[in-house]
Amino acid sequence: MDDLLKQIFTSIEKGKINRTSPFPPELKDKDGADELTRQALKEGIHPSEILESGMISAMELVGKKFSRNEIFVPQMLMSAKAMNAALQHIKPYFDSGEAKRKGVFIIGTVAGDLHDIGKNLVAMMIEGGGWEVIDLGVDVKPEKFISVVNEHPASVVGLSALLTTTMENMKKTVADLKTTYPDNRVIIGGAPVTDDFRRKIGADFYSPDPQGAVDYLNAGFTG
Ligand code: B1M
């Protein structure tokens, strides 16, 4: 792997946001995810490569270390902040510049769930695919999704869940949406979600990654 990509990986793994951030002490006065990502783009490394090899794989390692009790919530949070700092630089490269005329996509992380990195990536890629994206953020209750669909009758809804416990809330959100708006498509995703689960809760499409959601939307809901 390119040395700069390795450094981005380490800055996210260790939660080093930028040069001035004091955490972690062993990386004091070193560049963080912010500067390193900017530098990688300047050197011509492809944004997708930075995203896949430097950023997403680092978050996977963070998750594994958390499972093994090698790190705890505060470190996980610092990694998420470093990831978001890097993401700000990557985002413009995924904007197609097309007018957002393909339709409206409403996305949020379901009630009780505060994870937003995957959801932000999906939002970014779908916006880049030419859709107007309304991002409702995290911990979004079913009533909120319903009220925003009410304002955008032809919209498609995307739900993200990262916790096995909040999959129940995803199920309720899909049920409430389908009761009120049976014709609006609902796409679901997130680490614990599967296609089998999608079938059980009556959502229209499951994608394990952002590109699958983009392809489904842009192919006119086939996939
Ligand atoms: Co949390 N967390 N976390 N966490 N966290 C996980 C999810 C966990 C798997 C870690 C572990 O144990 N190994 C575990 C869940 C276990 C489970 O339920 N099975 C866990 C836990 C337990 C918790 C807490 C309960 C910890 C605690 O407090 N004791 C707590 C819950 C808080 C809450 O939500 N109520 C908690 C808190 C946090 C932080 C706040 C510290 C932080 C989140 C910060 C943030 O998001 N702003 C955090 C983080 C960073 C993680 C891990 C390490 C990384 C998640 C991530 O960003 N991954 C995570 C471990 C892991 O997943 N490896 C973990 C990178 C991201 C790009 O991937 O989100 O999967 P992901 O998104 C992917 C796909 O899933 C897909 O596309 C993305 C790109 O490929 N996708 C979609 C996602 N949404 C989609 C929607 C679509 C389509 C595709 O269509 C609409």
Side-chain angles (χ1 to χ4, degrees):
M1 201 200 296
D2 184 284
D3 189 51
L4 208 41
L5 289 179
K6 274 192 206 142
Q7 288 183 57
I8 293 171
F9 183 102
T10 305
S11 67
I12 291 174
E13 181 203 348
K14 305 275 184 196
K16 176 77 177 169
I17 303 166
N18 56 32
R19 197 172 178 85
T20 57
S21 55
F23 182 84
E26 72 267 23
L27 293 179
K28 191 170 178 282
D29 296 330
K30 295 258 190 317
D31 282 346
D34 184 18
E35 295 86 2
L36 292 166
T37 306
R38 217 173 328 130
Q39 174 74 14
L41 289 165
K42 220 164 119 190
E43 289 191 11
I45 302 179
H46 199 277
S48 301
E49 205 185 341
I50 301 174
L51 190 59
E52 293 296 329
S53 313
M55 297 164 63
I56 294 181
S57 52
M59 289 310 287
E60 278 166 13
L61 179 59
V62 169
K64 285 187 189 135
K65 287 168 90 177
F66 181 75
S67 302
R68 299 194 295 254
N69 289 327
E70 290 167 16
I71 60 163
F72 301 96
V73 173
Q75 286 111 312
M76 218 163 46
L77 194 56
M78 295 311 286
S79 291
K81 286 189 174 165
M83 176 85 175
N84 277 325
L87 212 50
Q88 295 313 311
H89 298 296
I90 297 287
K91 197 170 184 281
Y93 290 85
F94 288 90
D95 190 341
S96 64
E98 280 181 64
K100 310 281 184 282
R101 59 186 147 67
K102 290 182 181 163
V104 175
F105 184 74
I106 300 165
I107 189 166
T109 304
V110 299
D113 202 319
L114 303 176
H115 295 86
D116 69 356
I117 294 172
K119 184 263 300 163
N120 293 345
L121 279 173
V122 175
M124 178 179 98
M125 300 285 279
I126 288 179
E127 200 172 358
W131 288 67
E132 179 186 343
V133 172
I134 300 175
D135 187 345
L136 303 180
V138 296
D139 189 17
V140 185
K141 316 248 172 325
E143 311 84 82
K144 178 69 186 173
F145 281 107
I146 287 169
S147 81
V148 181
V149 173
N150 188 38
E151 290 163 27
H152 302 275
S155 55
V156 178
V157 179
L159 308 176
S160 181
L162 262 287
L163 299 171
T164 42
T165 47
T166 56
M167 286 168 77
E168 247 335 281
N169 300 340
M170 180 177 260
K171 179 179 169 187
K172 178 167 173 22
T173 308
V174 173
D176 289 1
L177 274 167
K178 286 290 178 188
T179 304
T180 322
Y181 296 106
D183 297 332
N184 289 66
R185 306 275 168 154
V186 181
I187 305 180
I188 61 170
V193 178
T194 62
D195 197 47
D196 190 41
F197 179 69
R198 174 202 66 78
R199 232 173 294 120
K200 284 187 184 131
I201 69 171
D204 298 285
F205 189 68
Y206 156 73
S207 176
D209 50 43
Q211 194 55 48
V214 176
D215 293 345
Y216 175 75
L217 290 173
N218 286 346
F221 312 127
T222 54

